[in-house]
Amino acid sequence: MALHGLGKVTVGVPNVDDTIAYYIEFGLEHRGNGVFATRNGGEQLHIVHAPTRRLVELTVAADDPDDITAITSRLTGLGVAIEQNGTSVSAVEPVTGTIVRVAVRPRIVIEPAVLPTPYNGPGRIDRWGRAPFLTRTEPVRPRKLGHAVIGSTDLQTTMQFFTEGLGFKVSDYMGDKAAFLRCSAEHHNVLVMAAPVNFLHHTSWQVDDIDEVGRGAHAMLENNPERHIWGLGRHYAGANFFWYLKDPAGNFSEYYSDMDTVPEDELWSPEVLHSLQGLYAWGPPPPPSFLEPDDLAALMTGAHSTTG
């Protein structure tokens, strides 16, 4: 696959300072002016001002200029206006208004690789003594940006932009309401969901294992329990462990680990998942505020007043 993951998200919020403080606590490295880096992915988040919360820009990573040329041709064939400079191409996704930029970026390499966490099981002893996670005292720091989830008022058009235009592949569907799309070996890098208004649902950040998911959420909630949205649990689609929190602007942020991978040469047949099947295999049921964020009506009002 010429694409190899997400490079960066630019998120617009009305309360920049509060949101910056949140993501510092979340474990991202603040490099100044709202720009954040992950441990292995470099600069992957930019917080900027916007009247309402939204995904301003999404950067997708590609291998070389030939990939940029191919994507430029496909987007032009769809009638999408583009800007291209040889090492990147950008276009406005026609429904959500998000600027999507595909840029040549090096692949994220984690060296040395994270060692497998030793777990004991019935009839199997992989570790002796106390569990090693008990000695972890440093704050949780995400390895990389994994995926973003966006709501679109025209699911099919947004899907077409990502699949036919950019070259994403479909991993699974949630009935006719959403689609899990990938541009890397991971199960999904973008999830597009049908929604009454265009909005950013959440961004997701990879940590080492389930203990880091739990440790990260515990630290974030210890003095701010109102940040809790949903978790701990395990998704069915993607199979990753998860815990969702809410930033001061109303965007959800997810710690995740252990996601399904789809090697480029492996045959993969998308499943059509129904009801809540795709959302979780176990854990507490998703709260109504996860399925329909509390500020959705306000976002709809803002969208109507902007366009009306």
Side-chain angles (χ1 to χ4, degrees):
M1 180 180 287
L3 304 178
H4 56 86
L6 297 189
K8 185 178 180 181
V9 286
T10 300
V11 178
V13 300
N15 49 345
V16 171
D17 290 343
D18 290 343
T19 306
I20 286 174
Y22 172 92
Y23 284 100
I24 291 173
E25 192 175 345
F26 189 77
L28 301 179
E29 176 195 346
H30 189 215
R31 293 187 171 177
N33 299 316
V35 175
F36 290 85
T38 56
R39 289 178 70 178
N40 301 111
E43 295 180 358
Q44 296 203 281
L45 173 65
H46 190 189
I47 301 296
V48 299
H49 182 266
T52 58
R53 66 181 185 89
R54 61 184 296 263
L55 180 60
V56 175
E57 184 170 331
L58 176 70
T59 299
V60 179
D63 279 327
D64 56 55
D66 288 343
D67 303 322
I68 303 301
T69 300
I71 292 167
T72 298
S73 177
R74 291 198 299 268
L75 288 173
T76 302
L78 292 176
V80 177
I82 59 98
E83 293 185 6
Q84 200 251 45
N85 66 7
T87 59
S88 71
V89 58
S90 62
V92 176
E93 196 284 308
V95 180
T96 64
T98 300
I99 300 169
V100 180
R101 188 170 70 97
V102 182
V104 174
R105 291 175 63 119
R107 294 196 174 221
I108 295 174
V109 177
I110 299 176
E111 291 182 343
V114 178
L115 295 176
T117 302
Y119 292 107
N120 290 337
R124 188 190 77 249
I125 299 175
D126 291 336
R127 62 172 172 78
W128 298 93
R130 300 186 190 278
F133 85 89
L134 292 171
T135 64
R136 302 177 190 173
T137 58
E138 70 284 356
V140 170
R141 291 189 56 209
R143 293 280 179 179
K144 68 173 184 177
L145 169 66
H147 59 269
V149 175
I150 54 175
S152 170
T153 57
D154 185 341
L155 174 62
Q156 292 304 315
T157 297
T158 301
M159 278 186 58
Q160 182 185 46
F161 176 88
F162 279 98
T163 56
E164 297 180 23
L166 303 185
F168 280 60
K169 297 180 180 180
V170 178
S171 294
D172 287 309
Y173 297 95
M174 290 184 62
D176 59 355
K177 303 299 184 184
F180 295 86
L181 310 177
R182 69 183 186 275
C183 62
S184 72
E186 287 200 312
H187 178 271
H188 58 279
N189 302 103
V190 168
L191 189 152
V192 182
M193 54 188 286
V197 66
N198 302 311
F199 75 105
L200 172 63
H201 187 274
H202 73 264
T203 57
S204 187
W205 306 86
Q206 185 188 57
V207 295
D208 290 355
D209 55 26
I210 187 173
D211 290 308
E212 297 299 86
V213 172
R215 285 204 322 119
H218 177 81
M220 291 292 288
L221 297 173
E222 190 169 18
N223 297 314
N224 297 276
E226 73 283 355
R227 291 171 171 171
H228 173 73
I229 294 298
W230 185 30
L232 172 72
R234 188 160 198 171
H235 288 303
Y236 180 93
N240 47 299
F241 297 106
F242 66 82
W243 203 315
Y244 294 89
L245 308 163
K246 183 165 69 172
D247 74 21
N251 304 298
F252 301 150
S253 57
E254 176 190 14
Y255 291 119
Y256 82 95
S257 69
D258 192 21
M259 179 176 282
D260 284 341
T261 57
V262 186
E264 294 181 32
D265 57 352
E266 179 177 319
L267 296 177
W268 178 274
S269 297
E271 290 187 38
V272 179
L273 310 168
H274 297 284
S275 185
L276 297 179
Q277 179 186 4
L279 288 181
Y280 72 119
W282 57 258
S289 61
F290 180 83
L291 302 174
E292 293 188 6
D294 295 335
D295 64 349
L296 211 56
L299 291 175
M300 293 175 65
T301 301
H304 294 158
S305 64
T306 299
T307 59

